[in-house]
Amino acid sequence: MPYETLQVRTEAGKVGVIALNRPKQLNALNDQLMDELGAALKAFDADDAIGCIVVTGSEKAFAAGADISVMTKYSFSDVFRTEYISRNWEALRSVRKPVIAAVAGFALGGGCEVAMMCDFIIAAENAKFGQPEIKLGIIPGAGGTQRLPRAIGKSKAMDMVLTSRMMDAQEAERAGLVSRVVPLDKLMDEALAAAITIADMPRLAAMAAKESVNRAFESGLSDGVWYERRLFHALFSTADQEEGMEAFLAKRPAQFSHR
Ligand code: CAA
């Protein structure tokens, strides 16, 4: 499917790569881009060959936020009536395969929020994260006030949301927002290596692991542990559980069927 605001490709026959591509606007997120991102994610999620998805931007910007030139024309009645954000930014949440954000340059406002909707973030050394919406007279609108404190704690989240300051890659790693920081010229290699590792894992276990970790952010401990236990039990009905354990005991590589 041809996209105007994305570059989409497959790597190693098993990883879907989606690069946001509005370079003149530093990948500012407008409706067309978010519609296309949702469609590309859905297509990879439905493709049996694909085991992991990488979302990235350019070396200068992952995304500099929601498109301000569009938002400036909106009134309350426009955004409320059309369900701005809710209408087409939630697609990432419904993707069941693991999604890695490979972030270089600016990840601001909605850009930081899209990165946080992914399952984990690998950052280049030049990455800068921020929620500067307050300077525009608004607040983060795509989950930033909820996911940022869960990722980095209340104090740092308040600091960023209230002062609009940016956090560099090193601070983001120390704070737990990103899982690793790598040199800019190694960003895609690292993200693809991680994605291929994940794609080679038993698919159902990877999907269940993602679902269960995400549950930690949406439920109390008892509910979360109960949910995990049910998924853990369910995986004993899969071919890959049988194969993985037999292969370990026979000291041979496992041949997963992703069933
Ligand atoms: N929307 C629309 N256009 C944007 C944009 C955005 N969020 N961010 C950058 N651009 C455009 C600029 O207007 C500029 O366009 P022109 O060349 O036509 O003038 C182009 O991208 C390059 O930007 P700059 O010249 O500003 O580049 P810079 O290197 O000097 O600065 C920057 C980079 C610090 C990222 C700066 O562009 C900036 O502060 N951008 C806005 C960041 C922001 O406020 N994001 C939050 C948006 S609100 C939001 O996201 C709501 C939500 O929660 C969903």
Side-chain angles (χ1 to χ4, degrees), residues 22-26 28-29 60 64-71 84-85 89 106 108-111 113 131-133 135-136 138-142 166:
R22 295 185 76 212
K24 285 193 192 119
Q25 297 86 0
L26 301 183
L29 307 165
K60 179 150 194 221
D67 192 321
I68 301 167
S69 68
V70 175
M71 284 190 295
Y84 179 52
I85 304 289
W89 287 55
F106 298 109
L108 302 179
E113 291 170 301
Q131 298 288 166
E133 288 88 344
K135 285 197 291 189
L136 302 170
I138 56 174
I139 64 171
M166 291 186 213

Side-chain angles (χ1 to χ4, degrees), residues 151-152 156 165 167-181:
I152 66 175
K156 264 188 192 293
R165 82 173 174 89
M167 191 180 258
D168 66 20
Q170 277 68 31
E171 185 181 2
E173 187 185 24
R174 282 197 307 276
L177 181 60
V178 311
S179 71
R180 27 181 145 158
V181 179

Side-chain angles (χ1 to χ4, degrees), residues 121-203:
I121 302 173
I122 299 180
E125 280 165 348
N126 75 338
K128 286 192 184 309
F129 299 88
Q131 298 288 166
E133 288 88 344
I134 196 163
K135 285 197 291 189
L136 302 170
I138 56 174
I139 64 171
T145 65
Q146 304 306 299
R147 290 195 182 91
L148 196 60
R150 282 168 167 79
I152 66 175
K154 175 181 166 183
S155 192
K156 264 188 192 293
M158 283 286 191
D159 180 357
M160 289 177 71
V161 169
L162 291 172
T163 69
S164 84
R165 82 173 174 89
M166 291 186 213
M167 191 180 258
D168 66 20
Q170 277 68 31
E171 185 181 2
E173 187 185 24
R174 282 197 307 276
L177 181 60
V178 311
S179 71
R180 27 181 145 158
V181 179
V182 299
L184 177 58
D185 61 356
K186 297 279 185 305
L187 177 65
M188 281 317 285
D189 289 348
E190 288 271 343
L192 288 174
I196 289 168
T197 300
I198 293 168
D200 285 340
M201 294 297 174
R203 178 83 41 83

